[in-house]
Amino acid sequence: MIKTRRLVLGILFLTGTAFGQNTTTKQGHTNQNKFKQLKELLPTPNLQRTASGAPGIKYTQQKVDYTMDIILDDENTRIYGNETITYHNNSDDTLAYLWVQLDQNMRAADSKSPDIQPSSIPKNTSKKRFNKTYMTAPFDGGFKIESVLNIDDTAISYTINQTMMRVNLAEPLASGAKFEFKIKWWYNINNHRTDGGRSGYEHFSKDGNNNYVIAQFYPRLCVYDNVEGWQNDQFWGRSEFALEFGDFTVQITTPEDHMLGATGVLLNETEVFTKKELKRLKVAKKTFDNPVLIRTQEEAEEIEKKKATKTKTWKFYAENVRDYAFATSRKFIWDAMAVAINGKTVMAYSLYSKEANPLYGDHSTRAVAQTLKTYSKYTFDYPYHKAISVDGQMGMEYPQICFNPGRPDADGSYSDRVKYRMIKVTIHEVGHNFFPMIVNSDERQWTWMDEGLNSYVEMLAELAYDKDFPVTRGYPKNIVGYMAGDQSKIAPIMSKGDHVYEFGNNAYGKPATALWILRETIMGKELFDHAFRTYSQRWMFKHPTPADFFRTMEDASGIDLDWFWRGWFYSTEVNDIGIESVRKFYATEDTEKKAIVFIEDTTEGLNITKPDTAESKYFYEITFNKPGGLVMPIIAEYTYADGSKEKKTYPAQIWRYNDKQVTKAVHSEKQITKIVLDPDLETADVDLSNNSFPKDKKDAFSRFKTKMKN
């Protein structure tokens, strides 16, 4: 009997019918908690990239050195170049071939870039646009590769695939070995003002001169690492570049009357500057308060009247940079100012034509200086010797030099709108010296890692430049419209830049907002600043990934932020937290039970009518709901009967057991008359109509208008 009973019980447990259970199958589920760890999304740590987010003991990266001779043909608007490339294989892998970027091929006559863009026939168009679109042959841009040679001038096999070129090695390149080869090329420079582009020339019909802002002008190596292997994604024109660090020895030949700025240390100042300019430059290197004019507008205007027939060669050396760019024109005015960075002097320069003055003269170099100071404060001391802002009428960045917009009206006047836009873009582009020119993330894969991080620090620099600066990206209130928009047109931040709809909001605005919220609301300034600085310094002159950033921010702060990365970076969910209901109580003593009894007051509003025998405190049971998908802190402002206010923040983890609704008991010495959630618009809450109790839609709208105005 005993053996039989055990058998029956065993069968009952196996079939789920023991102890009153029915035979219905119980369905399990996976962990959908918003606070679950990111482990299944982040790559497994290894000896190259540690679990802390730091480079590991086996971390490696390639090095690529360039020696270049460049000729600018001003008459025909062409670039001619010869380069010798030395590729250092510091990886543990043996490489059968090298991949080289040919970014100018995006502008080749047979480029596929226009073919991937949807288009339609307009109802009407201007004759100029009609001729340009339908009657004019495509611009013949793109690299004209004349030769790819070994160092002994023997030919190397190569294959061009649109904006990428595979160099086929005769013998595999072993780990620790280096390979030298040569490329000769030329291309037609595009007019970036009429045809667009991230570099090119601007033509001034009044005086017949050109301003050149030249980048992506040389075949340059792709990144090879242990995360992506070869980063050889095609360049379609939007997502920018992944590049290796190296040393550049560059000679640039221009017309003799040109003024030129470029990446690197100028080695032959006495050959290219006049004695007067050298004397002024010496003064500028000791002037820290105001820019010093090295070439004045009057001098530039005199020079631009004629065109030199002779040439001169500028010689530069740039150590440990990831790219190279230059700007040159006979029209350029040049001013300079010294910047003190923790005992080191860095030079801030601006090059601009008279058409950009006095706006550039008033603000450009000062904006450069402020950027270097602010970014050095929050990341690391700027390691290079200079930073240049160029009147390039675009927004584009390269090591030590960037091209920026902004010009006054013909009479020299300019509006605040024009001024602030010019300063904003200048700060942003100079800031790119830090991200990604030094903290060298892969822009093609993760645009937000340079644009978003840079946009966040840009905010701090803008406010340091002018405490009333009209910051346009980064404040939580400014991203609400985007986040609350059509979900079919929104991609997570963790998306490739070429594949997102609203590039500016996705890659710049939302990541900057996320970091602002982390600093101001969730982590606090001290913890955030230490962690952000730790990340920046860990990955100086290296190639970080998103996982390295996420892990470092947690490692250096001691705060688990997986819930935040998951919501803000891996999803398109929105924040919407409201007050569902408020119950109010007073406490009184029950002498028979010898206990304190809570009596609910069911009248409308927050007023509590207490008998004289009641305890002095007021008690409330507040139920918060969360129509939005994001988990965020609940920031509640309590207004009391005496007019005073108190703000209380409940951490995001309050939602860990129930993602939809949570109830909180609040007791107070004073009676509460009003409750408002997120009173300072800190959390990008997309619906303020449910943020108040008693409900007050007019108050919510007024609050939003006031905050937007400020």
Side-chain angles (χ1 to χ4, degrees):
M1 287 293 292
I2 296 175
K3 290 182 179 179
T4 304
R5 180 176 174 77
R6 286 178 178 171
L7 178 60
V8 170
L9 284 173
I11 292 172
L12 290 174
F13 276 117
L14 287 172
T15 59
T17 58
F19 302 110
Q21 295 183 26
N22 59 40
T23 57
T24 303
T25 303
K26 299 293 185 181
Q27 296 294 328
H29 65 276
T30 59
N31 185 0
Q32 298 301 311
N33 192 294
K34 296 291 179 68
F35 293 92
K36 68 177 179 177
Q37 299 304 99
L38 278 178
K39 296 186 187 302
E40 76 266 28
L41 295 177
L42 298 183
T44 304
N46 53 46
L47 293 177
Q48 291 219 18
R49 296 170 188 273
T50 69
S52 70
I57 58 174
K58 292 288 188 179
Y59 176 84
T60 63
Q61 68 185 43
Q62 312 294 64
K63 184 174 187 286
V64 189
D65 300 327
Y66 299 84
T67 299
M68 292 191 282
D69 287 303
I70 306 299
I71 298 173
L72 172 69
D73 182 347
D74 185 31
E75 184 175 349
N76 297 299
T77 57
R78 285 182 179 175
I79 289 283
Y80 294 90
N82 276 287
E83 66 181 341
T84 298
I85 301 172
T86 304
Y87 187 87
H88 303 262
N89 182 14
N90 296 327
S91 75
D92 293 332
D93 304 330
T94 297
L95 305 178
Y97 42 76
L98 308 180
W99 279 100
V100 177
Q101 301 185 55
L102 302 178
D103 304 297
Q104 288 295 333
N105 281 3
M106 193 210 80
R107 308 197 68 81
D110 61 350
S111 171
K112 299 296 183 183
S113 291
D115 295 344
I116 71 169
Q117 302 300 332
S119 58
S120 59
I121 302 297
K123 290 183 178 180
N124 56 68
T125 186
S126 67
K127 187 173 182 180
K128 181 179 180 181
R129 182 173 290 276
F130 175 84
N131 289 335
K132 180 181 177 181
T133 305
Y134 303 108
M135 306 300 292
T136 305
F139 174 71
D140 184 21
F143 284 109
K144 311 297 190 288
I145 304 295
E146 294 190 353
S147 63
V148 181
L149 304 172
N150 286 299
I151 205 69
D152 62 0
D153 289 335
T154 57
I156 298 178
S157 167
Y158 64 91
T159 302
I160 294 178
N161 176 15
Q162 298 182 67
T163 61
M164 292 290 164
M165 178 170 71
R166 189 182 67 235
V167 176
N168 305 309
L169 303 178
E171 296 181 3
L173 184 62
S175 172
K178 65 180 182 180
F179 177 68
E180 290 185 273
F181 64 109
K182 299 185 289 187
I183 302 177
K184 184 178 182 181
W185 78 94
W186 65 274
Y187 71 88
N188 294 311
I189 306 171
N190 58 295
N191 184 328
H192 72 83
R193 295 288 276 166
T194 58
D195 299 326
R198 294 170 182 268
S199 66
Y201 72 91
E202 176 182 10
H203 182 69
F204 295 84
S205 56
K206 285 186 177 180
D207 53 53
N209 289 301
N210 299 322
N211 283 359
Y212 293 92
V213 286
I214 303 298
Q216 292 85 244
F217 66 92
Y218 62 101
R220 50 193 187 165
L221 265 293
C222 297
V223 167
Y224 180 85
D225 63 21
N226 71 316
V227 179
E228 296 288 339
W230 282 108
Q231 174 28 309
N232 54 6
D233 284 1
Q234 294 292 332
F235 177 52
W236 297 104
R238 173 188 276 181
S239 293
E240 294 170 21
F241 315 106
L243 298 161
E244 303 283 12
F245 287 102
D247 303 330
F248 288 72
T249 302
V250 182
Q251 296 193 150
I252 307 170
T253 300
T254 68
E256 189 179 41
D257 51 4
H258 269 220
M259 177 60 73
L260 180 144
T263 306
V265 176
L266 180 60
L267 302 177
N268 62 333
E269 287 184 348
T270 58
E271 296 177 15
V272 294
F273 297 148
T274 66
K275 290 182 178 180
K276 186 182 291 185
E277 290 166 347
L278 288 169
K279 186 176 180 180
R280 293 169 179 168
L281 180 59
K282 188 176 181 180
V283 172
K285 289 180 178 180
K286 295 181 180 180
T287 304
F288 294 86
D289 51 356
N290 289 300
V292 174
L293 282 164
I294 313 301
R295 176 175 287 183
T296 67
Q297 178 167 328
E298 292 74 17
E299 290 165 342
E301 286 178 347
E302 190 62 31
I303 291 168
E304 73 179 24
K305 292 177 182 178
K306 301 177 182 178
K307 291 187 178 181
T309 56
K310 295 181 179 179
T311 63
K312 63 183 175 186
T313 299
W314 306 71
K315 301 176 182 179
F316 290 91
Y317 177 72
E319 184 176 358
N320 203 21
V321 296
R322 67 163 230 166
D323 201 1
Y324 199 92
F326 66 93
T328 183
S329 174
R330 61 177 52 86
K331 292 174 63 65
F332 280 155
I333 303 162
W334 176 23
D335 70 34
M337 185 171 76
V339 186
I341 306 291
N342 282 336
K344 175 185 172 183
T345 297
V346 176
M347 293 306 297
Y349 295 140
S350 292
L351 294 170
Y352 48 100
S353 53
K354 65 178 185 294
E355 287 79 5
N357 218 15
L359 176 60
Y360 259 70
D362 292 343
H363 293 285
S364 178
T365 297
R366 289 184 173 87
V368 174
Q370 184 62 64
T371 307
L372 298 179
K373 292 175 185 176
T374 301
Y375 278 67
S376 294
K377 176 181 177 181
Y378 290 104
T379 59
F380 45 77
D381 290 352
Y382 184 68
Y384 297 131
H385 71 293
K386 70 180 179 186
I388 310 172
S389 168
V390 181
D391 160 29
Q393 298 310 299
M394 65 173 77
M396 201 59 210
E397 73 281 355
Y398 304 93
Q400 305 171 20
I401 188 169
C402 57
F403 314 144
N404 303 309
R407 284 186 181 151
D409 295 334
D411 63 359
S413 63
Y414 52 86
S415 65
D416 281 349
R417 182 175 177 274
V418 169
K419 177 186 75 172
Y420 283 122
R421 179 175 180 268
M422 176 264 187
I423 296 169
K424 173 185 175 59
V425 178
T426 300
I427 289 174
H428 183 88
E429 306 306 343
V430 175
H432 272 308
N433 276 288
F434 294 78
F435 309 98
M437 301 303 152
I438 296 170
V439 182
N440 190 18
S441 57
D442 181 347
E443 298 178 87
R444 195 71 53 85
Q445 290 286 335
W446 307 115
T447 309
W448 69 267
M449 286 195 73
D450 70 290
E451 299 295 359
L453 270 61
N454 185 39
S455 294
Y456 157 70
V457 191
E458 174 198 331
M459 297 171 67
L460 303 177
E462 288 171 353
L463 295 170
Y465 191 87
D466 180 346
K467 64 181 178 60
D468 297 319
F469 200 98
V471 175
T472 56
R473 279 188 176 132
Y475 286 149
K477 63 182 174 60
N478 294 344
I479 202 66
V480 167
Y482 167 69
M483 292 181 69
D486 181 356
Q487 281 287 320
S488 68
K489 300 295 184 183
I490 300 175
I493 291 174
M494 290 290 287
S495 300
K496 203 170 184 177
D498 283 329
H499 303 160
V500 300
Y501 296 97
E502 294 192 41
F503 187 66
N505 281 316
N506 180 276
Y508 297 67
K510 189 179 175 184
T513 300
L515 297 183
W516 184 266
I517 290 173
L518 275 180
R519 183 178 192 254
E520 300 295 320
T521 302
I522 294 171
M523 299 174 69
K525 292 182 174 64
E526 184 177 354
L527 286 176
F528 179 92
D529 289 351
H530 173 76
F532 192 78
R533 192 177 297 110
T534 298
Y535 165 75
S536 302
Q537 294 178 4
R538 277 181 175 178
W539 290 97
M540 288 178 69
F541 300 109
K542 294 182 176 67
H543 302 304
T545 66
D548 300 317
F549 177 68
F550 298 152
R551 285 170 166 153
T552 294
M553 291 300 290
E554 297 188 22
D555 178 70
S557 68
I559 299 179
D560 181 358
L561 296 168
D562 283 14
W563 60 273
F564 188 85
W565 310 130
R566 183 187 303 280
W568 276 86
F569 287 77
Y570 286 89
S571 84
T572 62
E573 293 181 326
V574 302
N575 179 41
D576 181 12
I577 298 173
I579 302 173
E580 184 172 292
S581 64
V582 179
R583 298 174 67 193
K584 49 190 180 175
F585 301 83
Y586 61 85
T588 188
E589 185 176 358
D590 187 325
T591 55
E592 289 185 13
K593 294 181 179 179
K594 296 182 180 180
I596 301 297
V597 178
F598 292 95
I599 308 298
E600 182 173 6
D601 184 337
T602 58
T603 59
E604 290 188 6
L606 287 169
N607 183 54
I608 300 176
T609 305
K610 299 192 302 180
D612 294 337
T613 58
E615 296 291 322
S616 62
K617 291 190 177 182
Y618 296 84
F619 301 89
Y620 303 87
E621 193 177 84
I622 307 171
T623 298
F624 303 99
N625 62 1
K626 192 168 69 60
L630 283 181
V631 287
M632 289 289 284
I634 301 173
I635 305 173
E637 180 183 78
Y638 301 110
T639 301
Y640 299 105
D642 63 3
S644 62
K645 295 182 179 182
E646 180 183 14
K647 192 161 71 170
K648 174 72 175 179
T649 298
Y650 304 99
Q653 285 78 5
I654 197 172
W655 302 102
R656 68 196 185 281
Y657 297 133
N658 188 332
D659 187 43
K660 302 298 182 185
Q661 185 186 81
V662 64
T663 299
K664 195 70 181 172
V666 175
H667 64 274
S668 171
E669 300 287 346
K670 298 180 287 187
Q671 183 156 281
I672 296 175
T673 59
K674 187 176 182 181
I675 306 170
V676 176
L677 301 187
D678 195 12
D680 299 314
L681 305 184
E682 296 179 60
T683 65
D685 193 313
V686 300
D687 182 6
L688 300 182
S689 67
N690 58 359
N691 283 34
S692 300
F693 192 91
K695 288 186 179 296
D696 188 345
K697 291 185 178 181
K698 184 182 292 187
D699 175 65
F701 181 70
S702 174
R703 229 167 18 95
F704 183 72
K705 278 183 64 178
T706 301
K707 293 297 179 184
M708 289 297 288
K709 191 179 294 183
N710 294 336

